[in-house]
Amino acid sequence: PMTSIFSDNVYGHVNIGQYEYNPEKSKELLAEAGYTNGIKLPESFAPNIPAYTPVNTFMQEMLRQVGIDLPIQQVDTPAWSTALYDDQSAVTLTISLQNPHGAINLSRSYHSDGQANFTHYNKSDQLIEQLEQEMNEEEAKRLFSQIQQDIYDDYVNLPFVYTLQAQAWRNEVDLGYELIDSPIYVTPIYETTD
């Protein structure tokens, strides 16, 4: 299970913790909000990409167990992209590979000017901008922690699945370690890589 918006091998990852899985509490909260018989959310869109189907089904089933109906229509990728950028989905599932440095991911997905900020979150803009300029490693770690905690506290993103990407490289490249897979865009290169 994920403990942050970053996978644990991304620079800046902080173990913020996990949201408690408590179906009974979820039902109580729905009832307190006036939804004693559950609620049907507006239709959401998902790409007809095979990697999304099991995750969407998993998410729908978890919500269904507490009385939340999330209809999802599978569409081709151009239609999904349009729906994503035009805020046409009640829930947006994104499966993204991560860059090795967390500041890039924060700028891209959680800064108000980020091209993949589908949630329109803007409460950490100033901290993200400060992080991008920060040269002191301890202060950068503090900023990473604060930003991830803010995102967690504001329920901007509910990270619940961690997938891995297979990597390939030429035989003559010695990575200096055994790489099986990675959840980031690139194969990590360390001082042991030849």
Side-chain angles (χ1 to χ4, degrees):
M2 292 188 71
T3 59
S4 167
I5 55 172
F6 301 144
S7 56
D8 60 8
N9 66 340
V10 169
Y11 181 79
H13 170 272
V14 176
N15 184 340
I16 298 299
Q18 299 172 346
Y19 296 103
E20 179 186 6
Y21 178 70
N22 188 334
E24 292 309 312
K25 180 69 173 175
S26 298
K27 291 175 187 177
E28 289 175 23
L29 291 171
L30 281 170
E32 285 177 25
Y35 299 103
T36 53
N37 295 322
I39 184 173
K40 181 174 183 172
L41 299 177
E43 182 174 59
S44 291
F45 298 93
N48 57 359
I49 298 171
Y52 278 72
T53 303
V55 179
N56 281 323
T57 302
F58 174 74
M59 182 172 57
Q60 283 178 301
E61 179 56 24
M62 288 186 73
L63 292 171
R64 187 196 62 74
Q65 290 176 14
V66 299
I68 301 173
D69 180 17
L70 174 62
I72 296 178
Q73 178 184 352
Q74 284 197 329
V75 295
D76 61 26
T77 302
W80 175 68
S81 294
T82 299
L84 203 58
Y85 283 100
D86 291 346
D87 297 326
Q88 297 174 5
S89 283
V91 173
T92 300
L93 171 68
T94 56
I95 298 176
S96 63
L97 298 172
Q98 298 184 359
N99 288 288
H101 199 288
I104 297 168
N105 300 310
L106 289 172
S107 293
R108 185 175 175 273
S109 299
Y110 299 100
H111 189 283
S112 58
D113 293 334
Q115 78 266 20
N117 185 356
F118 306 122
T119 63
H120 307 293
Y121 186 69
N122 63 4
K123 292 183 182 178
S124 292
D125 283 3
Q126 187 176 4
L127 292 174
I128 292 170
E129 291 165 12
Q130 185 180 344
L131 174 64
E132 291 173 329
Q133 303 295 319
E134 187 56 59
M135 298 301 287
N136 179 290
E137 188 173 0
E138 290 306 310
E139 179 61 10
K141 287 179 181 179
R142 187 194 69 74
L143 290 167
F144 271 118
S145 181
Q146 181 63 54
I147 294 165
Q148 289 173 77
Q149 187 67 55
D150 290 347
I151 291 168
Y152 178 91
D153 291 344
D154 290 339
Y155 288 90
V156 176
N157 183 327
L158 306 176
F160 65 89
V161 67
Y162 181 165
T163 59
L164 298 173
Q165 163 137 356
Q167 303 283 334
W169 59 91
R170 294 171 55 147
N171 288 338
E172 55 270 9
V173 174
D174 179 8
L175 294 176
Y177 62 97
E178 181 183 359
L179 176 68
I180 299 170
D181 46 37
S182 172
I184 56 179
Y185 277 121
V186 297
T187 301
I189 296 177
Y190 303 110
E191 40 296 328
T192 57
T193 302
D194 184 18

